[in-house]
Amino acid sequence: MKIYDDKHIKNVAFVGANNSGKTTLAETMLFEAGLVNRRGSVENKNTVSDYHEIEHERETSIFATPLHTEWRNYKINIIDTPGLDDFIGEIASTMRVADSVVTVINAQQGVEVGTEIIWNYVDRFSLPTLFVINQIDSPNADFDESFKSIVDLVGNNAVKIQYPLVVDGAQCIIDVLKMKMYKFGPEGGKPEKLEIPADQIDIANEFHNELVEKAAENDEDLMELYFDKGTLNEDEMREGIKKGMLNHELFPVFCVSALNDMGSGRLMGFIDNVAPSAADLKPEQTVEGKTLECKANEPTSLFIFKTLYEPNLGQVSFFKVKSGEIKQNDKLENSRNEEIEILNQLYIMDGKNREPVEKLTAGDIGATLKLKYTETNDTLRTKGSNITIKPIKFPEPRISKAVSAADKNDEEKLSDALKKIHQQDPTVIIKYSKELKQLILSCQGELHLATIDWTLQNIYGIKAEFEQPKIAYRETIQRSATTSYKHKKQSGGSGQFGEVHIKIEPYYEGMPEPEGFNIRGKEEIDLDWGGKLVFYNCIVGGVIDARYLPSVLKGVLEVMEEGPLTKSYARDIRVMLFDGKMHAVDSNDISFKIAASHAFKDAFLNAKPKLLEPVHELNVKVPEELMGNVMTDLQSRRSIILGMDSDGKYQTIKAKTPLAEMYKYSTTLRSITQGRGSFTTKFSNFELVPNNVQEELVKK
């Protein structure tokens, strides 16, 4: 295969709402360039991009799939992404290596909820973006409304490069950059290039002049040229459009029919000639604070942006060459663990198809197999180059489930499978909770969970069970209590004897030392599960030998690990051991541990015990007109509203919500907002549980 330099490689991400036609457009571009002999379709389950079995079943993209095409001496790497935000991790990894974004809009729907969600992600990274209004030949297509919806989304910097027209029953596209009309036959393909009809020339000139002005705005030299000449030529316009895209201040709009192969060639020509390459983007800052330029003569660095496990291949690692060149059998160092990897095989991947290559250069995207020490987000570099690419920041999970194998013999297989699923999709988080004694799986939503379940069953042969995770409550006390306990056991020979007198109190930071006790020692313990235990030795006259004090403390801690109310961890308590008795023969460590645990439990239950529940900070972003419904739902979840911030057409509601009330919130919010709402959540603190809730929990 031909090796392209960094100026002739364009990496574009195809994004957009579900069913906007991204996969069909990618397929058409491969066909138009002659890389496939016949076009597949999503319905026939034979596209290059959607090749996984689960994508065939659901007839939708689930994975971000790298492809490539070649057009007029340029190489275009396309990454076709899912349109559902449950798979936002696939989009996040793609954004990290894309030079430009092609946002596909369904001409029958305009900008949809999915487009808005993805645009928020694209906008955050200020990536060069163009829009493609697809399905212009559909009977229900409305180009003008679709364009208006793009303007509503991105502002007045959206500018038409093309608009559709039907002439004598034939689908045409008028291009106001080239000032030509393309007329397509019923089968699409190569169009007839014509002059713009007389009845359209005024409209085309109006759009052309608007495009000239937008192009000129992005460069002082071009602005001066525009003032001098009153216009710009095509090359000057291209230069201005590219600069506007690089500044994230100009968003060209094209129109196509991907299904009927209309306009894809012109779109590829624009990507070739105008869309930025990796070399055009601003140099990256590495983790070490260095500037990394996308040049072939720099030390080699690869960024691993995606990992797949293919049944017949094993681990496939996708990378972008950030600098230098990579050749087959090169040895590179992993910056995370300093292990050396040998890249025995280099490929260009088109879906499941692999094309071996001997070399890839800066800016290009490729893949390799069976790396031993490398995973997603790793940097492979020339040894000694001290380059670490900044990692992808994946979104936090939105739902959690307890997961277990239906067949207990499959628990180890389940653990291994989930580890691979996490490596393939870092938005899937797996943690074992020692406290809850559950394996917790966290992901992006119910559909995301369904695909994980499908993968476990169909790829790994494991039937898994999912349920609501337990809540990690805490127990504490609200007043002081004093008690004693005598442990006495006689069974012939040496027995067991230990008696302790203790007082317990609620603990808070900065509280004064206890009064009325002769404090001989103090131990302050930061508990593993949060909070503190403060233990005072107030024994006078040696009524309990000092060697038994650790056993008394151990007895208290054992009860705090399984609290008397609900067997949840207890916290924030101080204990004064102030009296007791021992026996010269029968006293031992176990006796005092048992006595202390019983005394502490009795005192705890008499000290107005209270449950604490985990409370999360919740940020909910919703369209302004849907605020009322979202607020009503939050209040029904015992949320405390902390405030609201305006964010364009959206409002962000800040609240504190008990974790127990967050179960299935993702599904509820999607239903309330028709999928237009999003949220983030993180642990805040523990707070007192209402009495009625505590009563129910204690009963259980």
Side-chain angles (χ1 to χ4, degrees):
M1 180 186 167
K2 180 179 175 181
I3 303 298
Y4 290 84
D5 64 34
D6 52 22
K7 293 287 186 186
H8 288 80
I9 299 167
K10 303 295 178 82
N11 300 305
V12 295
F14 279 15
V15 305
N18 201 37
N19 295 322
S20 58
K22 303 180 295 295
T23 299
T24 303
L25 179 58
E27 189 79 9
T28 297
M29 287 169 66
L30 267 63
F31 173 76
E32 186 72 18
L35 271 77
V36 295
N37 296 324
R38 59 192 295 270
R39 289 189 298 152
S41 70
V42 173
E43 294 74 21
N44 291 330
K45 308 181 189 341
N46 61 350
T47 61
V48 176
S49 175
D50 286 0
Y51 68 91
H52 295 88
E53 187 182 342
I54 187 172
E55 293 177 316
H56 292 166
E57 277 192 24
R58 295 183 176 273
E59 294 191 1
T60 190
S61 299
I62 286 172
F63 302 98
T65 304
L67 318 161
H68 92 284
T69 187
E70 296 170 45
W71 190 250
R72 294 174 185 163
N73 209 32
Y74 279 83
K75 180 183 180 187
I76 304 173
N77 290 316
I78 300 166
I79 304 181
D80 180 25
T81 68
L84 297 163
D85 73 323
D86 274 53
F87 309 112
I88 195 71
E90 299 286 327
I91 299 169
S93 61
T94 300
M95 294 298 103
R96 194 65 182 78
V97 295
D99 308 326
S100 301
V101 175
V102 174
T103 304
V104 183
I105 306 292
N106 184 335
Q108 301 170 87
Q109 307 291 340
V111 168
E112 299 174 73
V113 172
T115 320
E116 289 185 32
I117 292 168
I118 295 164
W119 167 252
N120 291 335
Y121 219 89
V122 173
D123 194 37
R124 195 185 315 164
F125 294 105
S126 296
L127 288 167
T129 304
L130 62 93
F131 287 84
V132 176
I133 298 176
N134 185 26
Q135 304 179 34
I136 55 168
D137 54 345
S138 168
N140 297 319
D142 192 330
F143 177 84
D144 290 336
E145 278 301 310
S146 295
F147 179 77
K148 183 177 178 296
S149 70
I150 294 172
V151 172
D152 290 342
L153 182 70
V154 306
N156 290 324
N157 286 329
V159 59
K160 293 174 188 170
I161 301 281
Q162 300 173 332
Y163 67 93
L165 187 69
V166 176
V167 178
D168 299 329
Q171 182 64 58
C172 301
I173 293 174
I174 291 180
D175 192 303
V176 301
L177 174 57
K178 289 187 169 290
M179 288 304 284
K180 294 291 179 184
M181 182 173 81
Y182 300 98
K183 184 178 180 182
F184 295 90
E187 303 297 319
K190 189 173 181 179
E192 190 180 352
K193 195 173 180 180
L194 303 169
E195 297 301 319
I196 295 172
D199 65 344
Q200 290 293 314
I201 200 70
D202 287 345
I203 298 170
N205 277 329
E206 181 185 339
F207 293 148
H208 177 82
N209 292 335
E210 183 183 345
L211 182 57
V212 169
E213 287 181 23
K214 294 284 188 187
E217 285 174 3
N218 291 285
D219 185 90
E220 288 184 11
D221 293 338
L222 289 176
M223 186 62 84
E224 285 185 22
L225 268 176
Y226 174 61
F227 285 143
D228 288 344
K229 300 191 305 182
T231 188
L232 297 175
N233 64 34
E234 190 177 328
D235 286 339
E236 290 160 350
M237 290 170 70
R238 284 199 192 109
E239 184 185 344
I241 293 167
K242 176 183 278 192
K243 287 183 177 176
M245 291 179 70
L246 283 165
N247 294 336
H248 199 58
E249 291 177 352
L250 185 60
F251 307 106
V253 179
F254 286 77
C255 54
V256 302
S257 170
L259 185 63
N260 293 314
D261 191 10
M262 298 175 180
S264 59
R266 175 71 183 100
L267 176 62
M268 284 192 283
F270 181 85
I271 291 170
D272 286 349
N273 295 322
V274 181
S277 67
D280 294 318
L281 302 179
K282 292 177 182 175
E284 287 193 49
Q285 293 296 307
T286 67
V287 170
E288 295 81 10
K290 293 181 177 179
T291 298
L292 182 65
E293 296 195 52
C294 182
K295 291 182 178 178
N297 57 0
E298 294 287 322
T300 299
S301 62
L302 312 183
F303 180 66
I304 310 297
F305 69 93
K306 180 178 173 64
T307 304
L308 265 183
Y309 286 93
E310 294 284 7
N312 300 323
L313 292 177
Q315 180 179 321
V316 184
S317 300
F318 293 87
F319 60 82
K320 183 176 185 179
V321 186
K322 288 289 189 175
S323 61
E325 296 178 339
I326 180 69
K327 299 184 188 71
Q328 196 173 336
N329 296 320
D330 276 358
K331 296 179 181 179
L332 296 177
E333 177 188 62
N334 185 312
S335 68
R336 176 173 55 86
N337 51 32
E338 298 185 349
E339 295 283 358
I340 299 298
E341 295 276 21
I342 303 173
L343 281 74
N344 293 316
Q345 303 166 82
L346 293 178
Y347 296 105
I348 299 296
M349 299 290 285
D350 290 313
K352 65 182 176 183
N353 303 317
R354 312 191 302 281
E355 183 176 347
V357 292
E358 292 184 1
K359 183 175 84 167
L360 293 169
T361 192
D364 213 342
I365 286 175
T368 190
L369 304 180
K370 299 176 182 175
L371 296 178
K372 294 180 180 178
Y373 313 107
T374 299
E375 55 194 45
T376 299
N377 261 341
D378 280 352
T379 300
L380 296 179
R381 64 193 184 187
T382 301
K383 189 172 175 62
S385 61
N386 198 29
I387 297 169
T388 307
I389 312 296
K390 289 182 180 177
I392 302 159
K393 290 184 179 179
F394 287 100
E396 293 293 320
R398 292 179 291 186
I399 69 166
S400 293
K401 295 274 187 175
V403 57
S404 59
D407 182 344
K408 297 306 173 190
N409 294 325
D410 285 341
E411 289 291 354
E412 191 172 334
K413 275 176 65 180
L414 175 66
S415 179
D416 290 342
L418 289 173
K419 183 180 177 182
K420 285 186 176 178
I421 289 170
H422 165 72
Q423 288 172 339
Q424 185 167 285
D425 181 357
T427 65
V428 180
I429 307 296
I430 313 294
K431 286 183 180 176
Y432 180 75
S433 171
K434 180 184 172 186
E435 176 182 359
L436 304 178
K437 299 178 177 60
Q438 289 181 313
L439 186 63
I440 307 298
L441 183 153
S442 302
C443 62
Q444 294 299 312
E446 296 294 336
L447 181 57
H448 196 196
L449 181 68
T451 65
I452 295 166
D453 188 23
W454 185 96
T455 302
L456 288 170
Q457 289 192 57
N458 293 275
I459 304 299
Y460 298 103
I462 302 165
K463 172 66 176 167
E465 294 178 342
F466 301 91
E467 60 183 350
Q468 182 177 358
K470 299 171 187 172
I471 301 297
Y473 292 101
R474 297 287 182 266
E475 300 182 14
T476 194
I477 56 174
Q478 297 182 91
R479 67 185 181 199
S480 63
T482 303
T483 191
S484 63
Y485 188 88
K486 180 193 292 184
H487 174 67
K488 185 175 180 180
K489 187 177 180 183
Q490 199 70 42
S491 55
S494 296
Q496 292 180 356
F497 182 87
E499 183 177 333
V500 297
H501 297 240
I502 63 170
K503 179 179 181 180
I504 68 172
E505 292 178 338
Y507 169 79
Y508 60 88
E509 289 289 342
M511 69 186 299
E513 299 287 26
E515 295 180 357
F517 294 98
N518 187 350
I519 298 171
R520 310 288 298 275
K522 174 182 176 182
E523 196 165 344
E524 201 167 297
I525 300 164
D526 289 313
L527 301 167
D528 291 342
W529 51 88
K532 283 190 176 181
L533 164 67
V534 183
F535 182 78
Y536 290 93
N537 170 18
C538 305
I539 294 296
V540 179
V543 292
I544 298 177
D545 199 302
R547 63 186 164 141
Y548 296 131
L549 296 185
S551 298
V552 174
L553 177 57
K554 190 174 181 182
V556 170
L557 279 168
E558 280 190 2
V559 177
M560 291 186 75
E561 283 199 44
E562 278 199 15
L565 278 183
T566 61
K567 297 191 180 299
S568 303
Y569 289 133
R571 59 178 281 169
D572 298 328
I573 297 168
R574 68 180 186 182
V575 178
M576 286 70 75
L577 174 65
F578 63 88
D579 202 357
K581 290 180 184 176
M582 61 181 181
H583 188 276
V585 176
D586 293 343
S587 287
N588 51 29
D589 287 327
I590 189 70
S591 302
F592 278 98
K593 188 182 88 164
I594 293 170
S597 64
H598 281 285
F600 181 77
K601 190 179 291 185
D602 290 348
F604 190 98
L605 291 171
N606 287 317
K608 201 176 178 184
K610 192 69 180 173
L611 274 182
L612 302 170
E613 64 182 342
V615 174
H616 279 226
E617 289 179 11
L618 179 64
N619 286 342
V620 188
K621 187 175 181 180
V622 293
E624 194 165 357
E625 64 270 20
L626 299 172
M627 282 263 295
N629 293 339
V630 173
M631 295 274 279
T632 300
D633 177 70
L634 285 175
Q635 286 160 356
S636 75
R637 296 173 184 271
R638 298 194 280 122
S639 297
I640 298 172
I641 307 299
L642 302 176
M644 286 164 280
D645 287 335
S646 181
D647 184 4
K649 297 182 296 181
Y650 291 84
Q651 291 282 334
T652 299
I653 305 167
K654 297 182 178 182
K656 289 180 78 172
T657 306
L659 180 60
E661 303 290 344
M662 289 289 295
Y663 188 58
K664 291 195 172 179
Y665 183 64
S666 174
T667 305
T668 302
L669 182 66
R670 179 173 289 171
S671 174
I672 292 173
T673 65
Q674 298 87 52
R676 297 173 68 195
S678 62
F679 73 95
T680 59
T681 176
K682 67 176 182 178
F683 173 75
S684 172
N685 62 316
F686 282 94
E687 294 185 5
L688 294 173
V689 169
N691 289 332
N692 61 321
V693 176
Q694 177 166 320
E695 286 170 12
E696 287 296 317
L697 290 168
V698 171
K699 280 180 190 175
K700 288 180 184 177

